[in-house]
Amino acid sequence: MHVQLLVTQTDFCLPNLMRELEDVGINYSVEYIEDNPELVASHHIRHSPNILINGSLIFRSQPSIGELRTFFLG
């Protein structure tokens, strides 16, 4: 599973989101909206943060730790 965080360079939620994903045991990469106009256009992204999984946009905002656990751990 390839998990990408697509965020702005100034997204203040990023440290918290990273910590929550690590708590759930999920490996991820961080990509910046400013560096990926093709992803922004193809997914009609207007806000940050976004979580893509295997290329599909799954979350358009910061999910709660409960939402992350439900999604990733069932």
Side-chain angles (χ1 to χ4, degrees), residues 3-56:
V3 177
Q4 290 175 283
L5 306 182
L6 187 59
V7 298
T8 60
Q9 293 183 9
T10 59
D11 190 332
F12 65 90
C13 298
L14 183 58
N16 185 49
L17 181 55
M18 291 168 57
R19 185 175 49 255
E20 289 179 347
L21 285 169
E22 290 164 5
D23 287 348
V24 178
I26 302 302
N27 293 321
Y28 58 87
S29 63
V30 176
E31 304 288 334
Y32 294 104
I33 286 174
E34 296 87 348
D35 299 332
N36 290 282
E38 69 287 346
L39 283 176
V40 171
S42 67
H43 293 291
H44 308 286
I45 291 173
R46 299 190 184 277
H47 303 282
S48 177
N50 301 277
I51 301 176
L52 289 88
I53 301 172
N54 297 330
S56 296

